[in-house]
Amino acid sequence: MAETIPAGSTTDGVIQVGQPTDARVSAPASYDVADFPVPHGREEDWRFTPLERLRGLHDGTAVADGGVKVEVTAPEGVTVETVGRDDARLGKAGKPVDRVAAQAYSSFEKASVVSVPKETVLTEPVRIAVHGEGGTAFGHQVVEVGAFAEAVVVIDHTGDATLAANVEYLIGDGAKLTVVSVQDWDDTAVHVGQHTALVGRDATFKSVVVTFGGDLVRLHPRVVYGAPGGEAELYGVYFTDNGQHQEHRLFIDHDTPHCRSNVAYKGALQGAEAHAVWIGDVLIRAAAEGTDTYELNRNLVLTDGARVDSVPNLEIETGEIVGAGHASATGRFEDEQLFYLMARGIPADEARRLVVRGFFAELVQQIGIPDLEERLIAKIEAELEASVG
């Protein structure tokens, strides 16, 4: 399904003035866990999530009995701090919007803050390695980029843990921040996270989320705009294997005039009970004149038994926009592509691999870090060996 809405026009079933597309829009964001009822799986926000696999993160029974090791490698000029709960930068991007995020916020002891000074242009990425060491842990990270600075940050999740965490991105006026968040967990890990970006005036934020590992991964990227002229690009790549649950729930809140957003997520699934969920919520409020937004989700099902739920939502409260649209599609290999390659002497298995590599290539190239791109391509190759080798 694809919908495109030019400025000043309406489309039945897409514009829902006064009716939020998702419960997150109307739910009272809060730092207090008690403000969120325990989910039971019937709520809109939780109906796709297997709650029994959250290991108590959602109902208060999870106890912080484990840990994650956080190591930061940063170029000269970048400040790396470990701060207490009273640091003024914590919570600046936005409050938790569901019970797990509130549980994480109220349970962490120390937070990691990475700061890039204003007008600093980094030539090397900041690398944040988050390694699970078993058990349950709660975390909090802040990445702050000063006015007119430019930075690339890689957050790399590995190991085994049951982790609930919040990550905040504070992008100053005129700044440019690219964040690559990699979920390369062991197969037994559980990771639930809220990522909130506050985009300043004429600032640019690019997010690339890559999800391969874990038993259950549920991520909630959010974008809010602090002033006009902000731009946000949200890209995602996920490969959901046998028995895995990978869920990406995006929300872009256009409440400020003359801002842009573009979303493109692609996933491949293989194996029995592989389950991918993609929810894309975009809200254009009445004050957000001049907004330009588009969201796209594509899924490629490699084997029988895999399931995809893809739900793009678009709510528009003003007709004074540049454009807005969304598209979602799920399918198998196109026989014509396979026939074209096989007719030129390429064996069937190799042809299938070429199709999948091409499917992901455009988004992997958005990373812009050669060693990381090579690692992720190798990971995709390994997954494909299991599915079509």
Side-chain angles (χ1 to χ4, degrees):
M1 178 179 66
E3 304 276 359
T4 301
I5 305 173
S9 68
T10 63
T11 300
D12 291 341
V14 177
I15 296 181
Q16 305 170 20
V17 178
Q19 296 295 323
T21 61
D22 190 279
R24 283 191 299 264
V25 178
S26 57
S30 174
Y31 299 113
D32 189 349
V33 179
D35 288 339
F36 299 95
V38 175
H40 297 286
R42 295 181 295 274
E43 303 83 358
E44 178 61 30
D45 281 4
W46 296 99
R47 66 188 179 99
F48 295 118
T49 308
L51 299 180
E52 70 280 1
R53 292 167 63 178
L54 290 176
R55 301 176 185 167
L57 292 177
H58 66 298
D59 61 11
T61 60
V63 178
D65 57 1
V68 293
K69 184 178 181 180
V70 180
E71 294 183 342
V72 182
T73 303
E76 184 177 354
V78 176
T79 301
V80 179
E81 305 169 80
T82 300
V83 302
R85 300 181 56 84
D86 58 347
D87 191 283
R89 292 167 292 188
L90 305 186
K92 189 174 180 180
K95 299 178 181 179
V97 296
D98 65 31
R99 186 179 174 90
V100 176
Q103 184 70 65
Y105 193 91
S106 58
S107 301
F108 77 90
E109 295 181 356
K110 299 290 184 179
S112 173
V113 179
V114 175
S115 301
V116 180
K118 65 178 183 180
E119 300 178 356
T120 299
V121 178
L122 300 183
T123 57
E124 294 291 332
V126 177
R127 296 179 185 263
I128 304 173
V130 180
H131 185 73
E133 299 182 323
T136 299
F138 300 95
H140 197 100
Q141 294 176 332
V142 176
V143 176
E144 182 181 38
V145 181
F148 302 103
E150 297 183 16
V152 176
V153 176
V154 178
I155 306 178
D156 196 357
H157 299 88
T158 58
D160 180 36
T162 298
L163 175 65
N166 291 289
V167 184
E168 300 183 66
Y169 307 119
L170 307 175
I171 304 106
D173 293 348
K176 295 181 180 180
L177 173 63
T178 296
V179 176
V180 183
S181 177
V182 181
Q183 284 59 241
D184 195 11
W185 294 103
D186 293 350
D187 290 341
T188 51
V190 171
H191 179 194
V192 182
Q194 177 177 318
H195 303 171
T196 307
L198 176 59
V199 183
R201 182 182 299 273
D202 299 323
T204 301
F205 172 65
K206 181 164 81 169
S207 165
V208 184
V209 172
V210 181
T211 303
F212 289 113
D215 175 67
L216 182 149
V217 174
R218 186 184 196 266
L219 301 180
H220 185 3
R222 297 175 60 87
V223 174
V224 293
Y225 297 89
E231 297 188 11
E233 296 178 291
L234 278 65
Y235 301 106
V237 172
Y238 49 94
F239 204 121
T240 312
D241 211 341
N242 183 40
Q244 288 183 312
H245 179 93
Q246 297 175 349
E247 186 168 345
H248 301 87
R249 308 183 69 94
L250 288 70
F251 177 57
I252 301 177
D253 190 355
H254 280 282
D255 62 350
T256 303
H258 306 293
C259 293
R260 293 181 61 254
S261 66
N262 182 59
V263 175
Y265 270 60
K266 288 186 176 182
L269 298 89
Q270 67 181 14
E273 299 182 5
H275 187 196
V277 178
W278 182 87
I279 309 294
D281 288 331
V282 177
L283 171 61
I284 304 175
R285 300 183 187 267
E289 297 180 355
T291 292
D292 189 6
T293 181
Y294 193 82
E295 58 176 346
L296 167 72
N297 179 228
R298 293 280 187 262
N299 296 284
L300 189 59
V301 179
L302 303 178
T303 64
D304 292 333
R307 172 187 169 189
V308 180
D309 291 290
S310 178
V311 186
N313 294 311
L314 176 60
E315 178 184 351
I316 305 174
E317 296 180 349
T318 175
E320 300 300 322
I321 60 174
V322 174
H326 61 203
S328 172
T330 298
R332 295 182 178 273
F333 288 105
E334 293 186 11
D335 292 337
E336 291 182 1
Q337 292 178 318
L338 291 177
F339 177 80
Y340 177 87
L341 295 171
M342 293 173 64
R344 282 150 181 80
I346 299 174
D349 288 351
E350 181 61 24
R352 287 163 66 88
R353 293 189 188 96
L354 288 172
V355 171
V356 176
R357 284 199 294 266
F359 176 73
F360 281 126
E362 176 185 5
L363 297 188
V364 172
Q365 291 170 0
Q366 292 291 336
I367 293 171
I369 304 173
D371 66 300
L372 184 55
E373 289 182 2
E374 291 174 6
R375 172 187 156 195
L376 298 179
I377 289 295
K379 186 74 174 182
I380 292 172
E381 290 285 351
E383 297 283 2
L384 290 173
E385 285 293 334
S387 66
V388 298

